Structures are given as C-alpha cells and as structure tokens.
Amino acid sequence: MEEEKNKMEAIAEHIEDFITTYYQLTTVKAARKTTTVTAEGFYVVVLVILCMFVLFFAGLGLAWWVGSITHNIQLGYFIVGGFFLLLLLLLVVLRKKILAPLKNIIVRKLYE
C-alpha cells in the first residue's frame, strides 16, 4: 500500500512538472510570436510611410513635368490627380482579389 502511494505521489509530481513546463513553453512561444508580429508590423508601417513620401514627391514632380509639357501647371496637377484617382478606384474595385492573398499571408505568418 505504501509503495502504491509513493508511485502516485511520484506521478503527481511528474504531472505537475509537465504542466509547469508546458505553461512556460506556451508563454515563450506566445512572446516570440508577439515580438515577431510587432516587429514586422512596425517594419510595414515604416515602409508604408516611406512609400507615401515617395508617391507624394513623385506625384508632385510628375505633375510639374506634365504641366511644363502642356504649358499649364494646373492642368498637370489635375492630370496626375486624375491618374491617382483612377488607381484608387481600381484598388476599390479589386479589393477582394487583393485582400484575399493578404489575409492568407497574415494567417500563415501567425501560424509559423
């Protein structure tokens, strides 16, 4: 009877160690995943901001150039503005085809 009690206590200790180790492993995995997602999110935000600056200044330069060709600066700005409006409308119309692959990429990243 005493031997059986010792075996049960040993098993209980092992189960407790297993649960503690599993909890710690889960915590480390969650922290690593959170850190990765946060770092990549920060990288994407910086990349988007830089792309916005590039598009802004490239748009200004293009508008100025088109305006100098047409000898009407205002017309150049309207032409480039119309081009960007067409791009925006195209993105709105194709949003489902664009968002589906992006969602898949995000889900894959979360389960890596």
Side-chain angles (χ1 to χ4, degrees), residues 41-77:
F42 180 73
Y43 173 76
V44 168
V45 167
V46 169
L47 197 64
V48 166
I49 289 171
L50 289 175
C51 285
M52 286 175 46
F53 276 113
V54 167
L55 283 174
F56 177 73
F57 287 110
L60 285 176
L62 183 63
W64 197 281
W65 181 68
V66 170
S68 68
I69 289 175
T70 60
H71 303 292
N72 188 344
I73 298 296
Q74 292 87 356
L75 181 62
Y77 279 100

Side-chain angles (χ1 to χ4, degrees):
M1 188 72 144
E2 186 68 33
E3 188 177 312
E4 209 173 288
K5 186 177 180 184
N6 289 339
K7 285 182 183 179
M8 293 295 259
E9 287 176 359
I11 290 173
E13 286 179 26
H14 289 302
I15 290 174
E16 184 179 323
D17 289 342
F18 172 77
I19 290 172
T20 303
T21 303
Y22 184 78
Y23 173 75
Q24 290 171 343
L25 179 64
T26 304
T27 303
V28 168
K29 283 182 178 179
R32 185 174 50 161
K33 183 67 65 184
T34 303
T35 304
T36 302
V37 169
T38 303
E40 288 180 3
F42 180 73
Y43 173 76
V44 168
V45 167
V46 169
L47 197 64
V48 166
I49 289 171
L50 289 175
C51 285
M52 286 175 46
F53 276 113
V54 167
L55 283 174
F56 177 73
F57 287 110
L60 285 176
L62 183 63
W64 197 281
W65 181 68
V66 170
S68 68
I69 289 175
T70 60
H71 303 292
N72 188 344
I73 298 296
Q74 292 87 356
L75 181 62
Y77 279 100
F78 280 116
I79 290 172
V80 172
F83 173 73
F84 281 124
L85 180 63
L86 284 175
L87 282 179
L88 178 67
L89 291 174
L90 187 66
L91 285 174
V92 169
V93 169
L94 297 175
R95 75 180 174 272
K96 288 184 181 178
K97 290 183 179 181
I98 294 170
L99 287 179
L102 287 176
K103 288 178 186 177
N104 291 336
I105 291 170
I106 292 169
V107 168
R108 266 190 248 123
K109 279 289 187 189
L110 286 175
Y111 287 102
E112 271 184 0

